[in-house]
Amino acid sequence: MAVSGAVLVFFLVAHMAGNLKIFAGAESFNGYAAWLREVGYPLLPHRGLLTILEAGLVVAIAAHMYSAIVLARRAAHARPVKYAARVKSRANGYATRTMRWGGVIIFFFVIYHLLDMTFGVANPEGHDATPFARMVAGFEPARWYITVFYVISVVMVGLHLRHGLWSALQTLGLARRYPVLKISAALVSAVLTIGFLVVPLAITFGVVR
Amino acid sequence: MNYREGAPIKDTKAPEGPIEDRWEKRKFSARLVNPANKRKINVIVVGTGLAGGSAAATLGELGYKVKSFCYQDSPRRAHSIAAQGGINAAKNYRGDGDSIYRLFYDTVKGGDFRARESNVYRLAQVSVNIIDQAVAQGVPFAREYGGLLDTRSFGGAQVSRTFYARGQTGQQLLLGAYSALERQIAAGTVEMHTRHEMLELIISDGRARGVVVRDMVTGEVETHLADAVVLATGGYGNVFFLSTNAKGCNTTAIWRAHQKGAVFANPCYTQIHPTCIPVSGEYQSKLTLMSESLRNDGRVWVPLKGGDPRPVAEIPEDERDYYLERIYPAFGNLVPRDIASRAAKNVCDEGRGVGPGGLGVYLDFADAIKRLGRDAVEKKYGNLFEMYERITGEDPYTQPMRIYPAVHYTMGGLWVDYDLQSSVPGLFVIGEANFSDHGANRLGASALMQGLADGYFVLPTTIGDYLADAHTFDAIDDQQVAEAEIAVKNRIEKLLSVNGTRTADSFHRELGKLMWDYCGMERTEEGLRKALERIPELRAEFWRDVKVSGVNEELNQALERAGRVADFFDLAELMCLDALHRTESCGGHFRAESQDADGEALRDDEHFAYVAAWESTPDGPVLHKEDLEYEYVKMTQRSYK
Amino acid sequence: MNLTLKVWRQSGPDDDGRLVRYEIEDVSPDMSFLEMLDVLNEGLILAGDDPVAFDHDCREGICGMCSMMIDGVAHGPQKNTTTCQLHMRHYNDGDTIVIEPWRARPFPVVKDLVVDRSAFDRIIQAGGFISVPAGSAPDAHAMPVPKADADDAFDAATCIGCGACVAACPNGSASLFTAAKITHLGLLPQGQPERGSRARAMVEQMDEEGFGGCTNTGECTAVCPKGIPLDTIARMNADYLRASRKSG
Ligand SMILES: Cc1cc2nc3c(=O)[nH]c(=O)nc-3n(C[C@H](O)[C@H](O)[C@H](O)COP(=O)(O)OP(=O)(O)OC[C@H]3O[C@@H](n4cnc5c(N)ncnc54)[C@H](O)[C@@H]3O)c2cc1C
Ligand code: HEM
Ligand code: HEM
Ligand code: SF4
Ligand code: F3S
Ligand code: FES
């Protein structure tokens, strides 16, 4: 769980950095997308590295979901009889309590997101447009509801990370100085959340067009 | 209740010679059991407190086949867990003049010259090894910045020899013994039976050969046989209903053994602890101890005038009576427990008590907080203060604590010789369940020491000497086994069939009040006679009118309680008889008729320097006296002034 | 004050069990929660009914025997407090209180509120000790322990084995209990020789008993009457991972 989660975190950081390039303009962004596909060429075939990365991502997501399901099933097994009274949470942390359902929501988001951005199926510009065009079209002001959906999802991701980052360190036995760690985890997830959010918001509000 | 006097006890089996060498001598003279034979020898240990837990673990490690029993759901929960203050040991790590001899001396003196010199000396010798053993097991004693063990001084002692683990010394020591025990369980040398209550002792051919227990979950009555039986079932302070003991503490195990011939020594010696949280109402189920260490920094006082209606803060200094400091200037708030307890009772009897019912005195930390700062006080006593606040709803940082004495420890118990063997061959008794080392009063932090000394070091050696003959023991008599089992079943059935109108607890409460009033801090001939009259009546009422719901074949807590209360009646009677016959005051036993002009306890060494060992016979109790001789510590009247 | 109790009644492991409603009057605010149940039970016994079975012994918060889920919170609403140390002054007249046993597969119900926690003993048996036969110990001062380590070890050692952590954990995990012991012994120099094997054996036993896995939700620490800190779990994980790496 922690290992696959950590892989996903690294992906997200890189992904955010990439997305932010949109502020550098269409060429830069498209160039980045192209570079992603050409890097390592001719050592690696076209889309070589990207494919490896994607494969890694798929494995990570699969492992992550698999472990989430195993854990949930073990938990269900460990408590066959539920409490009659509503169990009150004593630990603070909305983020913590929403890990499972949050994860599921993120999963659906990623599917939509892939259809939208990668395969272009759900994107007005379709599959053949440049990435930049797809982005701008995807979040155009008229499609504000898509932006809202993204915002909600990204916040969900942020929450997931806020607990997940710290939790992964704990699981790997690295967590010691709690206050520091918890604050760091919150900061990192806040940076990621904001970093992701500015892009669609910028487009929707017309800063990038 | 009448009694006869029987033959005195002449030999306690302590070796002769210089006191320093006696234990060494005994260790050498005790025969060893060949390791191959040990595996064939079965030992039953009832109780998993410091005494029983350490004994079972050690015997298992030595290679015996051990069966261990406790009534809780885990051996780790024995009542030793509740000890707060600490454990004494003559390590002299402070270089403040402590030594084995001084611990020996203090203990004999603290016991008001009613303990055996040989036993006490051995205890002081072994105390040193206990600390080593515990530390090696990972018991996290308090440490100083240099990484070495910290100690503190404890009521009645002028050296700093008490090792402690915050306010949870008993817990940490017990977890040490428990982990050693669990290790042996895993190794297969100890078979653990939790939630099993011992209800009868099996004697065959004059030897203790087994126990009858009730499986408290299924109600099944089981028999377990062995070559020797060790009782480590703790104290019987719960005879008073309200005490600092755990709810399940009982006398059943040792009382059954007593009825089967084991002699019971000094039943009247009970220790009343001066610093407990006062009773708050009728429903009260137990009393909570506030560690005695609080007296190191807290000052005890009551208002000069009784019934002072003012809030504490408005009572000026010169209208407060710091009575311990006034009466005992040398020891002040650190006088021994019995003196502190009785002094509290006296001021309350004068009508100067505070809190509900006027049954309480103040223990004030205002000066300590001023002197050391709140943080330092919090560091030292934080968990105790918290506990106090939780129970009373009052904040001891801003308002003095209210405390009152409560029954805490029983020095009496089954009589044992130097080898810790009772008067029944093969029945060994260790820990609080025996009477051995504290005389008429126990020093603070010495019970843990005794329990572990018995369990880790003394018993494993001495029981070997007895078991060296195990191959010569006769086969166990089936008849005896069957009878013991039937006796248990009949008793259970009887309890269930009375079907009266009162709960066992309500009888217990009444018995407890009777004992507290007449056999508590201060005893008078008149009161004791009254109690001796009332107890049999109450017992008869119990057997006529008790109501126990449910059936035997289930977890039945009402039945468990009723069985324990039934035995408390019998014990209470013997306690009162013992207290009545001992017309002197000594240690925890204060007879109002025997006091000096200042109202201090007056001992009568000429007539009472003996252990009163009571035998149960069909025609009533028989008293056997074991004379106490003091070769090393001269008998003096205690003075803490 | 007068209260309504809804208490889990279950006559034995094979019974289904149900919540039963009781009205109780004249509860004093100075009573402890268990004393309140004593009063209920006295009444039940006199009525010829079966009293509510519950585990308890020391009644001063140290033996770890008492164990009740009170209104969905292990040991009730007061922080760092066992059920026996919870007092009725935290309730108001007319309140309804739901009382249930700990719920976890490795803690089967014995009767009413009593559960079988012997799984904890087996976890300790797997390695929760330092192997040192009586009489073989070196002088206690032979091995100084830095005060900070001694204090941290102590914080972990205060676990009373009550099982509230399991009861509160959404995953039914026994991680806090197990980690407390591993941390206590693992922080002391005496505990070093068996540190790795201990962590492995105890964690594996915990899994074998059927406890859930820890996802670091922190509910355990929040209800733990002794406030055992969460970093014990990190230490357990570290020791466990290190030991597993070493021996493959
Ligand atoms: C609140 C409190 C604080 C104390 N503080 C200190 C202190 O600071 N220092 C100090 O030295 N001493 C202290 N003492 C005294 C000391 O704790 C006890 O005397 C000592 O722990 C007794 O240990 P034990 O092994 O003899 O018995 P216990 O620990 O009482 O163990 C008794 C065992 O016997 C079992 N048992 C009992 N009856 C039966 C039965 N019928 N069938 C089966 N099993 C049975 C129980 O299950 C248990 O395992 C304190 C005592 C109390 C009550
Ligand atoms: C596919 C969608 C996802 C699902 C279903 C999912 C689900 C979960 C679940 C169930 C947990 C454990 C928490 C618990 O059980 O309470 C978890 C933990 C975690 N998740 Fe996710 N998650 C998803 C996506 C992600 C993503 C995209 C990232 C990071 C980029 C991520 C990072 C983490 C981390 C770091 C943890 C903590 C691991 C640990 O506790 O050891 N997750 N996730
Ligand atoms: C809201 C801000 C986001 C924007 C603007 C955005 C944009 C994009 C774009 C443009 C692509 C296509 C890249 C390409 O084909 O070259 C992409 C791919 C992807 N995005 Fe996002 N994304 C955002 C948030 C997220 C989040 C929060 C996640 C995960 C939880 C995510 C997961 C993915 C994945 C898995 C891919 C596919 C990567 C691949 O095919 O290699 N994205 N994203
Ligand atoms: S960790 Fe806390 S909650 Fe868990 S058993 Fe120990 S004391 Fe109880
Ligand atoms: S509540 Fe459970 S999930 Fe882990 S942090 Fe505590 S064991
Ligand atoms: S009864 Fe011992 S902790 Fe509650």
Side-chain angles (χ1 to χ4, degrees):
Chain A
M1 186 102 255
V3 175
S4 57
V7 170
L8 295 175
V9 172
F10 284 118
F11 163 74
L12 275 194
V13 172
H15 187 28
M16 179 193 74
N19 285 351
L20 288 177
K21 282 190 186 255
I22 202 148
F23 292 104
E27 280 85 277
S28 169
F29 189 70
N30 287 339
Y32 155 71
W35 170 81
L36 268 182
R37 287 158 177 78
E38 301 303 332
V39 70
Y41 191 80
L43 273 181
L44 294 164
H46 177 67
R47 277 188 62 96
L49 184 69
L50 193 59
T51 307
I52 294 173
L53 280 177
E54 279 172 359
L57 259 185
V58 169
V59 170
I61 291 194
H64 195 71
M65 287 173 63
Y66 174 75
S67 7
I69 291 168
V70 168
L71 276 168
R73 288 187 51 173
R74 265 184 74 188
H77 182 82
R79 178 160 301 132
V81 184
K82 304 273 172 276
Y83 290 107
R86 220 174 67 85
V87 176
K88 288 196 195 109
S89 172
R90 295 256 114 189
N92 30 19
Y94 181 73
T96 311
R97 264 172 286 140
T98 49
M99 285 308 270
R100 277 188 196 146
W101 288 112
V104 172
I105 292 174
I106 295 169
F107 178 70
F108 285 118
F109 160 76
V110 170
I111 291 187
Y112 175 82
H113 178 57
L114 289 179
L115 293 178
D116 182 6
M117 291 295 168
T118 308
F119 304 115
V121 185
N123 191 281
E125 287 290 311
H127 183 66
D128 298 327
T130 62
F132 183 80
R134 266 182 282 165
M135 283 277 260
V136 174
F139 300 119
E140 67 180 1
R143 284 164 53 93
W144 58 268
Y145 47 93
I146 296 294
T147 306
V148 169
F149 172 60
Y150 264 72
V151 168
I152 294 173
S153 304
V154 169
V155 167
M156 235 26 258
V157 172
L159 281 175
H160 195 79
L161 286 184
R162 189 178 142 180
H163 176 69
L165 279 173
W166 167 83
S167 169
L169 290 173
Q170 167 93 353
T171 303
L172 296 173
L174 304 172
R176 283 295 143 82
R177 310 231 339 260
Y178 277 97
V180 178
L181 269 177
K182 286 212 155 161
I183 293 171
S184 316
L187 272 178
V188 170
S189 32
V191 167
L192 274 171
T193 311
I194 294 169
F196 271 119
L197 282 183
V198 287
V199 175
L201 290 178
I203 296 171
T204 307
F205 290 102
V207 181
V208 173
R209 57 178 89 234
Chain B
M1 191 180 187
N2 290 321
Y3 71 91
R4 279 184 296 125
E5 204 175 315
I9 300 173
K10 285 274 185 269
D11 185 13
T12 67
K13 294 223 217 108
E16 309 268 300
I19 200 159
E20 313 80 62
D21 301 339
R22 290 180 192 166
W23 177 226
E24 210 43 59
K25 245 173 151 172
R26 181 61 189 131
K27 275 198 282 190
F28 188 70
S29 69
R31 288 166 299 163
L32 300 173
V33 183
N34 152 353
N37 288 344
K38 278 190 191 143
R39 258 174 276 133
K40 291 182 230 144
I41 296 178
N42 294 285
V43 182
I44 284 173
V45 181
V46 188
T48 59
L50 285 182
S54 59
T58 309
L59 293 172
E61 179 99 46
L62 285 173
Y64 295 106
K65 276 177 67 182
V66 180
K67 280 188 184 178
S68 167
F69 298 84
C70 70
Y71 69 75
Q72 293 93 344
D73 71 332
S74 163
R76 67 178 292 151
R77 308 202 201 282
H79 190 53
S80 295
I81 199 116
Q84 303 170 347
I87 177 166
N88 289 331
K91 279 284 196 187
N92 193 27
Y93 279 159
R94 297 246 160 191
D96 59 358
D98 197 14
S99 63
I100 289 174
Y101 199 89
R102 186 176 297 280
L103 176 54
F104 156 67
Y105 177 89
D106 286 353
T107 307
V108 169
K109 182 179 170 218
D112 219 2
F113 300 93
R114 293 293 176 264
R116 291 179 189 148
E117 280 191 333
S118 303
N119 283 51
V120 175
Y121 198 88
R122 173 178 67 190
L123 179 62
Q125 281 174 313
V126 170
S127 71
V128 175
N129 309 354
I130 295 174
I131 302 301
D132 299 342
Q133 180 68 20
V135 165
Q137 282 172 341
V139 170
F141 284 121
R143 292 192 180 256
E144 300 191 313
Y145 286 98
L148 298 179
L149 295 169
D150 193 14
T151 52
R152 60 185 173 202
S153 59
F154 222 62
Q158 282 159 316
V159 289
S160 181
R161 65 158 79 95
T162 305
F163 294 80
Y164 66 101
R166 293 193 201 154
Q168 299 151 30
T169 316
Q171 180 197 23
Q172 293 310 323
L173 288 168
L174 183 61
L175 291 181
Y178 159 76
S179 64
L181 178 63
E182 293 297 326
R183 178 168 154 257
Q184 292 307 316
I185 295 171
T189 60
V190 178
E191 190 182 301
M192 185 71 226
H193 300 264
T194 59
R195 293 201 203 266
H196 277 69
E197 184 164 27
M198 170 182 161
L199 296 177
E200 196 55 89
L201 178 70
I202 295 174
I203 294 188
S204 166
D205 194 28
R207 296 177 190 276
R209 294 303 297 271
V211 293
V212 180
V213 296
R214 178 175 175 272
D215 178 332
M216 294 158 75
V217 174
T218 63
E220 196 178 327
V221 173
E222 303 168 1
T223 299
H224 296 267
L225 301 175
D227 296 294
V229 176
V230 180
L231 296 186
T233 51
Y236 51 82
N238 269 356
V239 64
F240 291 88
F241 187 75
L242 288 182
S243 84
T244 62
N245 287 6
K247 288 301 282 178
C249 290
N250 64 85
T251 188
T252 296
I254 58 172
W255 192 256
R256 304 275 107 219
H258 172 59
Q259 305 242 290
K260 282 276 173 99
V263 161
F264 202 124
N266 300 333
C268 81
Y269 289 164
T270 37
Q271 182 169 78
I272 314 268
H273 197 289
T275 50
C276 300
I277 299 178
V279 176
S280 69
E282 254 307 298
Y283 46 80
Q284 187 99 19
S285 62
K286 78 153 273 163
L287 295 171
T288 302
L289 178 83
M290 290 277 99
S291 168
E292 185 156 40
S293 61
L294 289 170
R295 285 202 277 147
N296 285 333
D297 288 301
R299 299 179 67 196
V300 177
W301 64 276
V302 289
L304 264 180
K305 279 194 303 290
D308 200 321
R310 290 173 294 181
V312 187
E314 284 167 31
I315 303 179
E317 273 300 310
D318 59 353
E319 288 178 47
R320 299 177 174 193
D321 181 10
Y322 294 90
Y323 59 89
L324 289 178
E325 295 167 27
R326 173 170 59 79
I327 311 175
Y328 308 98
F331 278 74
N333 294 299
L334 290 175
V335 291
R337 295 177 172 176
D338 55 322
I339 294 182
S341 298
R342 216 166 40 249
K345 176 176 169 17
N346 289 341
V347 294
C348 293
D349 287 351
E350 287 164 20
R352 297 196 285 146
V354 297
L359 293 177
V361 298
Y362 289 127
L363 180 61
D364 200 335
F365 288 87
D367 283 356
I369 292 173
K370 222 180 287 158
R371 183 161 39 92
L372 308 166
R374 189 187 150 119
D375 286 352
V377 170
E378 187 169 345
K379 254 218 177 81
K380 256 174 144 167
Y381 306 115
N383 62 333
L384 294 168
F385 277 33
E386 238 178 82
M387 182 148 131
Y388 181 84
E389 181 165 6
R390 231 187 307 252
I391 294 173
T392 60
E394 295 169 9
D395 174 15
Y397 289 104
T398 56
Q399 192 176 350
M401 282 186 180
R402 286 176 298 109
I403 54 165
Y404 198 64
V407 174
H408 176 55
Y409 183 87
T410 47
M411 279 76 70
L414 291 185
W415 182 90
V416 288
D417 61 18
Y418 189 72
D419 282 355
L420 304 178
Q421 184 165 217
S422 74
S423 56
V424 173
L427 178 68
F428 291 76
V429 190
I430 58 177
E432 192 174 340
N434 73 21
F435 89 108
S436 70
D437 296 354
H438 307 293
N441 200 6
R442 172 178 72 83
L443 291 184
S446 282
L448 301 182
M449 171 172 75
Q450 183 223 333
L452 290 176
D454 289 0
Y456 280 133
F457 300 108
V458 180
L459 176 87
T461 305
T462 59
I463 202 173
D465 186 60
Y466 175 79
L467 292 170
D469 287 332
H471 60 280
T472 68
F473 295 174
D474 290 343
I476 296 172
D477 181 356
D478 293 339
Q479 181 76 27
Q480 295 291 335
V481 176
E483 273 172 25
E485 238 179 70
I486 290 171
V488 167
K489 287 182 179 155
N490 285 348
R491 244 171 106 77
I492 293 174
E493 211 158 287
K494 202 165 148 202
L495 285 169
L496 286 167
S497 62
V498 177
N499 201 13
T501 62
R502 282 180 69 181
T503 61
D505 263 8
S506 86
F507 280 107
H508 194 179
R509 228 178 261 277
E510 193 174 337
L511 174 69
K513 174 126 193 359
L514 203 68
M515 290 299 284
W516 178 247
D517 287 346
Y518 299 124
C519 200
M521 261 182 287
E522 185 174 309
R523 296 136 184 212
T524 63
E525 170 162 1
E526 193 199 344
L528 289 165
R529 287 198 187 284
K530 234 186 249 166
L532 280 170
E533 214 168 282
R534 182 66 189 129
I535 293 168
E537 291 169 12
L538 197 59
R539 172 175 43 213
E541 242 173 280
F542 173 87
W543 285 106
R544 220 182 316 116
D545 200 23
V546 73
K547 170 116 187 163
V548 182
S549 53
V551 294
N552 174 49
E553 289 71 27
E554 59 172 347
L555 181 86
N556 187 338
Q557 293 175 327
L559 177 63
E560 290 160 22
R561 281 199 201 172
R564 293 172 192 159
V565 175
D567 287 328
F568 278 134
F569 281 116
D570 298 346
L571 167 74
E573 204 174 6
L574 188 65
M575 286 173 73
C576 291
L577 180 66
D578 187 41
L580 181 66
H581 109 283
R582 191 173 281 277
T583 55
E584 65 163 349
S585 293
C586 65
H589 168 64
F590 186 81
R591 273 292 291 263
E593 296 88 350
S594 181
Q595 48 182 307
D596 64 17
D598 296 338
E600 295 300 331
L602 193 61
R603 232 175 43 224
D604 178 357
D605 292 334
E606 200 188 324
H607 299 102
F608 288 101
Y610 62 77
V611 173
W614 299 89
E615 183 189 350
S616 162
T617 73
D619 346 307
V622 174
L623 171 65
H624 302 272
K625 293 178 181 171
E626 176 200 324
D627 280 328
L628 293 165
E629 274 152 42
Y630 292 88
E631 291 171 62
Y632 290 86
V633 189
K634 220 172 83 51
M635 284 185 157
T636 50
Q637 283 288 346
R638 276 189 322 166
S639 170
Y640 289 91
K641 291 213 164 161
Chain C
M1 62 184 125
N2 300 337
L3 300 169
T4 304
L5 304 179
K6 288 188 184 161
V7 185
W8 185 263
R9 303 303 310 262
Q10 179 174 343
S11 62
D14 302 327
D15 182 21
D16 279 343
R18 68 218 63 85
L19 282 176
V20 177
R21 196 188 156 97
Y22 299 100
E23 306 289 336
I24 175 162
E25 285 165 17
D26 291 333
V27 174
S28 151
D30 287 327
M31 276 182 185
S32 73
F33 200 85
L34 298 187
E35 282 165 351
M36 184 270 294
L37 290 179
D38 287 344
V39 171
L40 171 73
N41 277 344
E42 292 262 300
L44 290 177
I45 294 174
L46 289 180
D49 290 338
D50 205 15
V52 178
F54 60 89
D55 264 334
H56 66 102
D57 200 25
C58 73
R59 296 210 174 184
E60 48 185 87
I62 193 74
C63 73
M65 193 114 174
C66 57
S67 45
M68 289 174 202
M69 201 73 176
I70 302 172
D71 285 335
V73 179
H75 287 308
Q78 201 181 5
K79 231 180 131 43
N80 294 335
T81 305
T82 53
T83 305
C84 57
Q85 293 287 85
L86 174 66
H87 282 69
M88 298 312 291
R89 64 180 74 91
H90 300 283
Y91 291 91
N92 299 314
D93 190 42
D95 280 356
T96 298
I97 307 174
V98 182
I99 310 172
E100 295 170 85
W102 289 168
R103 296 267 186 226
R105 186 183 297 266
F107 286 175
V109 173
V110 175
K111 181 179 177 183
D112 299 341
L113 304 172
V114 176
V115 300
D116 176 356
R117 285 170 286 194
S118 51
F120 272 8
D121 291 328
R122 289 188 293 275
I123 292 176
I124 299 293
Q125 279 162 33
F129 46 72
I130 292 173
S131 304
V132 46
S136 64
D139 185 85
H141 269 182
M143 203 185 275
V145 182
K147 187 166 162 53
D149 286 352
D151 285 349
D152 285 353
F154 196 100
D155 286 338
T158 55
C159 163
I160 58 175
C162 63
C165 44
V166 174
C169 175
N171 300 317
S173 170
S175 286
L176 196 64
F177 166 80
T178 311
K181 193 82 232 162
I182 288 175
T183 301
H184 159 207
L185 297 178
L187 275 171
L188 296 172
Q190 304 90 298
Q192 297 313 312
E194 293 165 299
R195 182 164 164 189
S197 57
R198 171 187 310 121
R200 258 193 96 162
M202 290 179 75
V203 168
E204 277 157 19
Q205 184 65 34
M206 166 173 84
D207 290 347
E208 201 164 295
E209 295 289 343
F211 291 105
C214 173
T215 56
N216 307 312
T217 59
E219 298 291 344
C220 49
T221 323
V223 298
C224 172
K226 297 295 149 184
I228 302 292
L230 219 48
D231 64 359
T232 55
I233 297 185
R235 286 183 198 273
M236 169 174 79
N237 291 335
D239 283 2
Y240 176 73
L241 291 174
R242 193 177 310 122
S244 309
R245 264 203 306 278
K246 265 196 200 140
S247 49

